[in-house]
Amino acid sequence: MADVVVDGYLNLDAVRSHFPALKQNQVFLDNAGGSQILSDAINSIRTYLEETNVQLGASYNVGQKATEKYNEGLKAAADFMNASVDEIARLPQKPSADSPVIGPSTTQLFSNLSQAFALSFPDDAEIICSSIDHEANISAWVRLAHIRNLTLKWWTPTSEPGDLKLTAENLRPLMSAKTKLVTCTHTSNILGTIHDIKGIAEEVHKTPGAMLCVDGVAYAPHREVDVKAVDVDFYSFSWYKVRWIFNKGFLVYGPHIAVLYGSQTAQQNVASLGHYFHTPTDTLVTKLGLAAASYELVGTLPSILSYFGPDRKKTWSAIAAHEQRLQQILLDYLNARDNVVVYSERSADSKLRLPVISFSVKGKSSRDVVEKVDATSDFGIRWGHFYSKRMVDDLLGLQQDGVIRNERSETWCLCL
């Protein structure tokens, strides 16, 4: 297998060779919502279903193979995030206490986590929720506050609409001795701005017992995730959105599943949603997993880590450099036009932003613009709020007055 990174640069021919979907006449730019899958992952799914499609934990030969593949998948998921999974591959029936939990989506995993918190949070607990997040990291906590009659505070940056950024400084006034949970995104799926999660975590943890829950869905495809380095309590992202980028569009490594990490300390606050014979000291998997992880999809995750090669840091560095070169081209063009509004960090600096670039064209419907692109090219892009509707409507001011207005002014997201 040819190296995907050569002399610090992406080997684009090698990258393309791993993705069968790229044989089509389509440029995949609608990738913040998920895209194509690695050929090795496809082969892994087929092999699992053909050879090891049995219940986990059985003592017979095929059952042991199936369990081993599943546990190797959990180990790969943890390794990708720098989570601790001591001897996970040698535990045939149960993952380790440090293992992350796999589920069908980040939305579902956060929903499960919120239900567990509903059973354990004190009556006077306060929740601080970012208002610029994808709804996956909002609705679960709004629902929790409603069910338990808890205080919910909105964390809303007060900067200009095109430069909304979460910081420890604009979080600090919201914190109190009753703060139990703070939720935010590592990177907005609309704005692309990178937030200083380590600094935010330090601020949160100044309050005894307060926890930080981070949505990493838009960040994980572009930068290395290290949950220990940023000291988060909970962190989730979706594997089908973990991708590389080059001039034919994004490539997704993984299947349609998500992962949730929880630190051992934070897991003590998680009540179990599992069966009654699973004790409270069981793993995050048994507390929140609810048997929702597809075995054959979890089994693909080791092939994704293998694709990164032996030096993942070098690979991530090449990705960041390639992204910066490409997003510089688009941002230079957009920033030079007086009829375009860019709703994000305007710099192409890869330390400040990711290549998730959202904008609107003054006097034009975003839907019309996208559909004209569809009709005249092979570029696949989209328009809409992309499940960050609260921010798009309330903070960017792109909501519609009434329900029959046809000339729409919604944002659309172009991911390089």
Side-chain angles (χ1 to χ4, degrees):
M1 183 175 70
D3 290 339
V4 293
V5 177
V6 177
D7 296 329
Y9 292 88
L10 292 183
N11 181 349
L12 299 186
D13 289 336
V15 171
R16 293 188 184 99
S17 70
H18 292 285
F19 295 87
L22 297 184
K23 297 176 182 179
Q24 306 172 72
N25 291 324
Q26 180 74 68
V27 181
F28 297 97
L29 298 177
D30 173 32
N31 301 284
S35 189
Q36 312 315 306
I37 190 167
L38 181 69
S39 59
D40 286 350
I42 296 172
N43 294 335
S44 174
I45 293 170
R46 181 174 59 248
T47 300
Y48 189 100
L49 293 176
E50 289 178 347
E51 300 178 4
T52 56
N53 191 32
V54 297
Q55 183 62 279
L56 302 183
S59 58
Y60 57 87
N61 183 49
V62 174
Q64 290 183 37
K65 290 181 179 179
T67 305
E68 182 179 1
K69 287 187 177 182
Y70 180 81
N71 282 341
E72 287 291 347
L74 287 180
K75 183 179 180 181
D79 187 17
F80 190 83
M81 309 168 75
N82 191 31
S84 175
V85 283
D86 297 338
E87 298 183 319
I88 182 172
R90 294 188 288 277
L91 296 177
Q93 296 192 33
K94 292 177 66 175
S96 77
D98 299 323
S99 174
V101 58
I102 304 290
S105 66
T106 295
T107 300
Q108 183 65 64
L109 288 172
F110 281 157
S111 180
N112 290 1
L113 182 60
S114 71
Q115 291 181 60
F117 284 158
L119 300 174
S120 63
F121 272 18
D123 292 337
D124 63 348
E126 295 181 353
I127 301 170
I128 300 174
C129 188
S130 157
S131 60
I132 69 171
D133 275 44
H134 185 288
E135 193 65 17
N137 202 23
I138 293 181
S139 61
W141 317 120
V142 171
R143 188 164 55 247
L144 170 60
H146 175 73
I147 292 172
R148 287 291 313 279
N149 195 28
L150 304 177
T151 297
L152 177 67
K153 297 179 179 179
W154 289 104
W155 180 10
T156 303
T158 56
S159 52
E160 293 298 317
D163 190 29
L164 297 169
K165 188 172 184 177
L166 302 172
T167 67
E169 289 72 24
N170 55 38
L171 168 64
R172 189 172 300 127
L174 299 173
M175 297 292 297
S176 79
K178 296 181 179 180
T179 301
K180 189 65 176 177
L181 181 69
V182 177
T183 69
C184 71
T185 181
H186 205 152
T187 297
S188 163
N189 71 322
I190 294 289
L191 304 177
T193 303
I194 300 173
H195 297 127
D196 177 14
I197 295 301
K198 183 176 181 178
I200 290 171
E202 290 175 353
E203 185 65 33
V204 170
H205 293 150
K206 290 178 182 178
T207 299
M211 299 177 292
L212 176 64
C213 179
V214 177
D215 178 351
V217 172
Y219 182 86
H222 305 279
R223 299 292 184 272
E224 185 175 20
V225 175
D226 189 337
V227 293
K228 300 296 178 60
V230 295
D231 196 25
V232 293
D233 298 289
F234 296 96
Y235 194 102
S236 183
F237 66 87
S238 300
W239 281 97
Y240 65 101
K241 298 180 182 182
V242 175
R243 57 202 179 265
W244 273 7
I245 175 177
F246 63 103
N247 59 3
K248 182 71 174 176
F250 271 122
L251 305 176
V252 170
Y253 317 135
H256 203 295
I257 51 176
V259 59
L260 172 66
Y261 160 82
S263 70
Q264 288 193 56
T265 300
Q267 286 186 38
Q268 297 174 16
N269 295 280
V270 180
S272 179
L273 303 181
H275 299 308
Y276 75 92
F277 46 82
H278 291 152
T279 67
T281 57
D282 272 351
T283 67
L284 199 63
V285 173
T286 56
K287 287 181 176 183
L288 300 180
L290 303 181
S294 168
Y295 301 160
E296 66 271 20
L297 299 187
V298 175
T300 68
L301 300 184
S303 66
I304 297 169
L305 266 66
S306 177
Y307 178 65
F308 273 79
D311 189 344
R312 292 212 301 266
K313 290 189 179 298
K314 182 178 73 172
T315 302
W316 281 118
S317 178
I319 291 173
H322 193 72
E323 288 181 344
Q324 179 163 320
R325 288 191 293 271
L326 292 182
Q327 68 188 17
Q328 183 74 64
I329 297 170
L330 179 59
L331 285 169
D332 283 350
Y333 172 76
L334 296 176
N335 289 329
R337 297 181 64 93
D338 58 11
N339 67 331
V340 170
V341 179
V342 178
Y343 300 103
S344 61
E345 170 66 54
R346 287 162 177 77
S347 169
D349 188 341
S350 62
K351 295 182 178 63
L352 301 177
R353 66 159 302 114
L354 302 178
V356 180
I357 300 171
S358 300
F359 59 94
S360 62
V361 180
K362 296 177 182 178
K364 292 185 179 293
S365 160
S366 293
R367 178 174 182 172
D368 288 347
V369 172
V370 171
E371 291 181 351
K372 286 180 181 178
V373 172
D374 293 340
T376 58
S377 76
D378 293 327
F379 290 89
I381 57 179
R382 294 190 67 177
W383 59 273
H385 54 72
F386 305 99
Y387 293 85
S388 292
K389 185 170 175 56
R390 296 174 194 262
M391 177 179 66
V392 170
D393 286 0
D394 301 336
L395 301 182
L396 301 185
L398 300 175
Q399 74 277 8
Q400 298 180 61
D401 297 326
V403 296
I404 309 180
R405 187 171 183 176
N406 292 320
E407 185 175 352
R408 307 174 72 170
S409 179
E410 294 176 290
T411 187
W412 62 291
C413 182
L414 179 58
C415 301
L416 287 176

